[in-house]
């Protein structure tokens, strides 16, 4: 369980793996501005104990991976999807179960549509179709407080992400935020570039209705960023998708829901599902 840099095309991605490479691989793709640390180690370890080879990594401009000048990322969402599949190639993994969270769900869907042979199943956590008729972010999230200190600001942001969930643990989040800030190569790039990149979609112009791999949609019922109708619409748009609603859960993955999600992922990625 040690981090290492892996060359993927013309970028270096910082990667950490859990479990045996002989087991089915679960590739974890996080959302905007978040390094792999925001996939909790307990979550990764629990999956590995259940017979999954877990790979988490820093996307471009997060953690220790390649970064670019703040506000000037030369890549797009599609490039991040190519990174995910390219990382599998670099690790000699023919295909994987992709788990994308928030913006990472968009990355995972794009990978599944552009390079379906590399994707065994999809799991989309706190993700949206992006349709215009879905509910906006909650007023409480939009008016969230901010702080000048980066660790304090991340704690406030994660508090806002939790919405009305009772599970928010400020002390634990502060420790994680401090660790993330300490290992991030360029914090300004990490906080801005995913919002400044081009948000292009799959090359073929396809969408959720064209996803042809088994898909699990996981969504919190008090998500303030993408309220629950976003997850419901996504599950309805993808043929055969299953929806798992996490009660008292916001846009995050609190420890109190890790076991439930691990159980669902193990079932979803079993040979009977694929």
């Amino acid at each position: 369980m040690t981090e290492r840099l892996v060359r993927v095309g013309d970028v270096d991605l910082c990667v950490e793996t859990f479990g045996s490479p002989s087991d089915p691989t679960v590739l974890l793709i996080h959302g905007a501005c978040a390094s792999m640390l925001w996939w909790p180690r307990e979550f990764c370890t629990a999956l590995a104990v259940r017979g999954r080879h877990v790979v988490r990594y820093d996307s471009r401009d997060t953690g220790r991976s390649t970064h670019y000048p703040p506000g000037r990322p030369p890549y797009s969402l599609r490039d991040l999807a190519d990174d995910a599949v390219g990382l599998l190639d670099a690790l000699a993994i023919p295909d994987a179960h992709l788990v994308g969270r928030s913006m990472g769900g968009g990355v995972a869907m794009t990978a599944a549509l552009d390079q379906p042979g590399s994707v065994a199943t999809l799991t989309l956590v706190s993700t949206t179709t992006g349709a215009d008729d879905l509910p906006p972010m909650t007023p409480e999230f939009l008016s969230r407080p901010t702080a000048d200190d980066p660790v304090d600001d991340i704690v406030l942001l994660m508090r806002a992400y939790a919405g009305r969930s009772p599970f928010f643990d400020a002390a634990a989040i502060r420790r994680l935020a401090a660790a993330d800030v300490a290992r991030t190569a360029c914090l300004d790039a990490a906080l801005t570039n995913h919002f400044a990149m081009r948000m292009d979609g799959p090359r073929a112009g396809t969408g959720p209705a064209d996803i042809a791999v088994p898909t699990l949609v996981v969504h919190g019922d008090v998500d303030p960023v993408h309220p629950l109708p976003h997850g419901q619409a996504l599950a309805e748009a993808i043929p055969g998708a299953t929806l798992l609603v996490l009660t008292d859960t916001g846009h995050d993955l609190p420890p109190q829901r890790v076991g439930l999600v691990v159980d669902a992922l193990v079932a979803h990625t079993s040979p009977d599902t694929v």
Side-chain angles (χ1 to χ4, degrees):
M1 296 188 295
T2 57
E3 297 179 12
R4 60 190 173 108
L5 290 176
V6 175
R7 191 70 176 176
V8 177
D10 59 353
V11 301
D12 291 317
L13 300 179
C14 187
V15 178
E16 187 172 25
T17 62
F18 303 76
S20 171
S22 63
D23 288 332
T25 296
V26 174
L27 180 68
L28 303 177
I29 308 170
H30 214 295
C33 308
S35 79
M36 64 179 171
L37 295 191
W38 295 94
W39 289 109
R41 179 171 295 275
E42 296 76 15
F43 176 70
C44 300
T45 301
L47 280 171
V49 168
R50 300 282 293 276
R52 299 297 180 267
H53 175 233
V54 181
V55 179
R56 67 176 185 175
Y57 69 101
D58 297 329
S59 296
R60 301 189 198 197
D61 277 318
T62 70
R64 292 174 175 161
S65 290
T66 294
H67 63 277
Y68 302 92
R72 291 188 286 135
Y75 57 86
S76 68
L77 184 78
R78 187 184 297 163
D79 293 317
L80 296 185
D82 289 344
D83 287 349
V85 175
L87 177 58
L88 296 178
D89 293 340
L91 297 176
I93 298 170
D95 59 39
H97 303 278
L98 268 55
V99 182
R101 188 166 159 191
S102 193
M103 186 196 78
V107 173
M109 284 192 286
T110 300
L113 289 165
D114 279 350
Q115 303 185 67
S118 297
V119 181
T121 68
L122 274 180
T123 300
L124 306 172
V125 184
S126 305
T127 306
T128 179
T129 64
D132 292 338
D133 60 347
L134 290 170
M137 296 179 184
T138 64
E140 294 82 5
F141 181 80
L142 291 172
S143 62
R144 67 189 184 277
T146 59
D148 292 333
D149 177 82
V151 172
D152 290 343
D153 196 52
I154 291 171
V155 173
L156 289 171
L157 176 61
M158 295 305 296
R159 168 67 272 186
Y161 276 152
R164 292 183 284 107
S165 171
F167 300 135
F168 183 73
D169 184 338
I173 291 298
R174 179 170 296 279
R175 289 192 294 270
L176 186 54
D180 201 20
V181 168
R183 67 184 290 278
T184 298
C186 180
L187 190 60
D188 285 344
L191 295 176
T192 59
N193 282 357
H194 285 174
F195 296 116
M197 70 178 179
R198 300 187 309 281
M199 297 299 289
D200 51 7
R203 289 174 176 80
T206 50
D210 302 294
I211 291 173
V213 299
T215 302
L216 171 66
V217 176
V218 180
H219 216 94
D221 67 347
V222 293
D223 188 333
V225 179
H226 300 317
L228 182 56
H230 289 250
Q232 293 168 328
L234 186 62
E236 291 171 1
I238 299 173
T242 300
L243 174 64
L244 171 63
V245 177
L246 303 178
T247 59
D248 294 325
T249 302
H251 198 64
D252 54 350
L253 180 58
Q256 292 83 355
R257 293 293 177 260
V258 164
L260 183 60
V261 176
V262 167
D263 286 346
L265 263 176
V266 169
H268 180 59
T269 60
S270 70
D272 293 338
T273 300
V274 181

